[in-house]
Amino acid sequence: MQTRLSLLDGHPSHDATTCPNCATGCLAAYHAEDSHEASARTAWQEVVDLAFTEPALAVLLGAAMASVFVDRLGIQPVLLHLFGGTEPARAQALRSAMSVVGQPGSLVRDWCEPPRSILSRLDLVSPLPVALQGLEQSPRAIRLIGGGAPGTVIISAGQIPLPAEAHRPGRLEFKAPAVSGAAAGLVHAITTTHYGWPRAWLSEHPVSGEIENWFKVSLDVINGRSPDLGGHAEALALSATGFGALGRIVGRGFAFYAGMGAALRAVESMRSPPLHLVIG
């Protein structure tokens, strides 16, 4: 299938058929699938509507969308980690999230890669998000990469939770059943078919005038409702901002408020079994 490269300003465009790094997932994977744009927009409108019914999924999609805002907002790198549940459910959630920015089959990588390779990848693609699965295969890796590259969102998954010593502000954990609800499968089917379009639209039609205000409002509301979150509130506010940006560019003007509501419901619902939000 033909693909449309739509790299962020500052990243050189190149021929994906001759690039020696494309097999391992370089910047060429951050592109939009070559479908009819109007059909893609309608599909992503449905994704926004569906994701609102599953708060953790909205948080993941919003975080992937908002990665490009991390430096601008002056916040720490963000890591969202899914653990437990089944491997297919975790992988599905990661692919859905990474479909916001590109071809998910190439963008979901493994924690068992050498830490130096992971760090190099974080540096290469920043400010775009990175997805890593299989933390149980290399639990030491997350300690070795430290906070990640500045301006980065890492979406992670594994059978095990984060090691206790790896907890720090900006790192949130969700039990995988939180993203395994009725809407998750449909969101996965839609996003992996129409991948990459949201980031392409964001590059062409930035929502720059609203980002700081959305983030401030989200942070104030989240801190007001859950003052014990501390530095983790920024990660949730970033996700709400990203979900708002996603909704705005696909024509769902309510999405900022939906994203803020999703972040709040994620906190509230995951403090009790069977769902769980770890505040490290």
Side-chain angles (χ1 to χ4, degrees):
M1 176 177 288
Q2 295 296 311
T3 56
R4 164 183 170 173
L5 292 182
S6 182
L7 305 180
L8 290 179
D9 292 343
H11 291 306
S13 180
H14 65 284
D15 184 353
T17 63
T18 59
C19 172
N21 297 317
C22 280
T24 56
C26 71
L27 283 170
Y30 292 89
H31 66 260
E33 178 269 338
D34 192 23
S35 63
H36 193 279
E37 185 169 0
S39 298
R41 194 177 299 275
T42 299
W44 278 95
Q45 288 174 351
E46 185 175 2
V47 167
V48 170
D49 295 344
L50 288 166
F52 180 58
T53 68
E54 299 204 17
L57 190 57
V59 167
L60 291 179
L61 292 170
M65 188 71 179
S67 183
V68 296
F69 307 138
V70 171
D71 267 351
R72 174 175 169 177
L73 294 171
I75 65 175
Q76 300 185 60
V78 170
L79 186 146
L80 303 178
H81 179 65
L82 296 170
F83 71 98
T86 66
E87 191 280 330
R90 296 192 302 269
Q92 177 176 275
L94 262 61
R95 288 192 296 268
S96 294
M98 294 306 289
S99 293
V100 170
V101 294
Q103 206 285 324
S106 299
L107 294 179
V108 178
R109 310 304 297 276
D110 296 312
W111 275 112
C112 63
E113 294 180 17
R116 182 173 296 180
S117 296
I118 295 175
L119 283 170
S120 295
R121 180 167 180 75
L122 291 170
D123 288 335
L124 171 67
V125 307
S126 179
L128 299 169
V130 169
L132 296 164
Q133 62 184 352
L135 182 62
E136 69 278 1
Q137 300 174 33
S138 185
R140 294 182 62 248
I142 199 160
R143 305 184 189 108
L144 296 175
I145 68 167
T152 301
V153 168
I154 301 174
I155 302 174
S156 168
Q159 184 59 39
I160 63 173
L162 296 175
E165 62 271 27
H167 283 279
R168 63 183 66 185
R171 291 186 173 182
L172 295 172
E173 294 187 83
F174 300 91
K175 278 191 173 177
V179 290
S180 304
L186 185 53
V187 166
H188 178 260
I190 297 171
T191 56
T192 55
T193 299
H194 299 281
Y195 61 78
W197 279 103
R199 195 188 62 76
W201 291 322
L202 185 64
S203 299
E204 297 164 3
H205 305 288
V207 290
S208 56
E210 298 164 292
I211 297 305
E212 284 84 357
N213 184 56
W214 284 351
F215 179 75
K216 181 181 183 301
V217 170
S218 295
L219 190 61
D220 288 346
V221 171
I222 291 169
N223 277 327
R225 291 279 293 274
S226 299
D228 62 322
L229 288 175
H232 299 298
E234 288 189 344
L236 288 166
L238 179 75
S239 294
T241 301
F243 197 72
L246 175 61
R248 179 59 58 87
I249 63 174
V250 303
R252 286 290 191 262
F254 66 85
F256 164 62
Y257 301 99
M260 188 166 59
L264 290 168
R265 289 189 296 122
V267 173
E268 293 167 358
S269 65
M270 290 178 221
R271 287 187 187 277
S272 59
L275 306 181
H276 183 52
L277 172 64
V278 177
I279 307 298

